[in-house]
Amino acid sequence: MKPLGTLLLTPLLALLAACSGVPDGITPVGNFQLDRYLGKWYEIARLDHSFERGLSDVSANYARNADGSVAVINRGYNASRNAWSEVNGKAKLIAEPTLGSLKVSFFGPFYGGYHVAALDERDYSWALVVGPSRDYLWILARQRQLPGALREQLLARAGELGFDTSRLIWVSQDRPDG
């Protein structure tokens, strides 16, 4: 018979592991080059969630830490507060370094999945990123806007992956100080 602590801890560990897992049917990009992915990305679209609700001009900046992990700075403008909101985190590759699958933490030991499901492999100019479930989806780009045809291609790809693209929020990127 297992001790009570082990019985309680096992489901918790399984739940935490699931938070960084990849949704069924989605494979992160291969031939991923983390150093090329580093730098500033603008959030073009996202599925709504509480930690970014109401933010415009959202960007993410990724830089290599001395220990090989990635420093993450997410920043967005909160118009109701008339102020910028910023959060710092840390990301680590989950598997082999050529797989676009990371785990990101903004709150201590708790990590969430960050999986690059589609990527402009030539220029690294856009990315389709998913979280641990189909409740998390981001379209990112190196520029503040994407051409309409490319937006439609990414919407189609997200739909093929099982995301409800009608729920996407198209993020305003109009502030010159962003």
Side-chain angles (χ1 to χ4, degrees):
M1 188 166 159
K2 293 184 179 180
L4 182 59
T6 302
L7 290 175
L8 294 175
L9 189 57
T10 302
L12 176 61
L13 291 175
L15 177 64
L16 289 175
C19 290
S20 61
V22 183
D24 288 340
I26 296 177
T27 303
V29 297
N31 201 26
F32 181 72
Q33 297 173 37
L34 180 58
D35 287 333
R36 290 184 65 202
Y37 196 80
L38 300 176
K40 187 169 187 173
W41 290 88
Y42 294 95
E43 189 176 87
I44 304 301
R46 69 172 178 261
L47 289 178
D48 190 29
H49 40 76
S50 61
F51 52 92
E52 281 188 289
R53 189 160 294 137
L55 297 180
S56 68
D57 301 275
V58 178
S59 65
N61 202 335
Y62 306 104
R64 183 79 77 160
N65 288 319
D67 67 359
S69 65
V70 176
V72 180
I73 301 172
N74 283 357
R75 185 174 192 248
Y77 189 75
N78 186 323
S80 66
R81 293 188 187 138
N82 196 28
W84 287 97
S85 176
E86 187 173 286
V87 63
N88 296 314
K90 184 178 194 176
K92 298 177 182 181
L93 289 165
I94 292 177
E96 64 268 11
T98 59
L99 188 66
S101 190
L102 297 97
K103 59 183 182 178
V104 180
S105 176
F106 293 99
F107 309 105
F110 304 104
Y111 283 86
Y114 181 103
H115 310 287
V116 182
L119 177 67
D120 170 19
E121 292 182 24
R122 191 184 80 184
D123 298 322
Y124 277 54
S125 65
W126 56 262
L128 184 68
V129 176
V130 304
S133 73
R134 285 185 173 75
D135 292 326
Y136 300 93
L137 172 69
W138 295 269
I139 296 174
L140 306 176
R142 298 291 190 174
Q143 302 296 318
R144 294 172 183 264
Q145 305 293 323
L146 282 177
L150 179 53
R151 281 174 51 149
E152 293 305 314
Q153 288 174 4
L154 292 172
L155 281 174
R157 180 68 181 130
E160 291 167 3
L161 293 174
F163 289 90
D164 180 358
T165 59
S166 70
R167 294 180 34 230
L168 280 172
I169 294 170
W170 295 94
V171 180
S172 169
Q173 291 286 351
D174 297 329
R175 293 192 59 85
D177 56 346

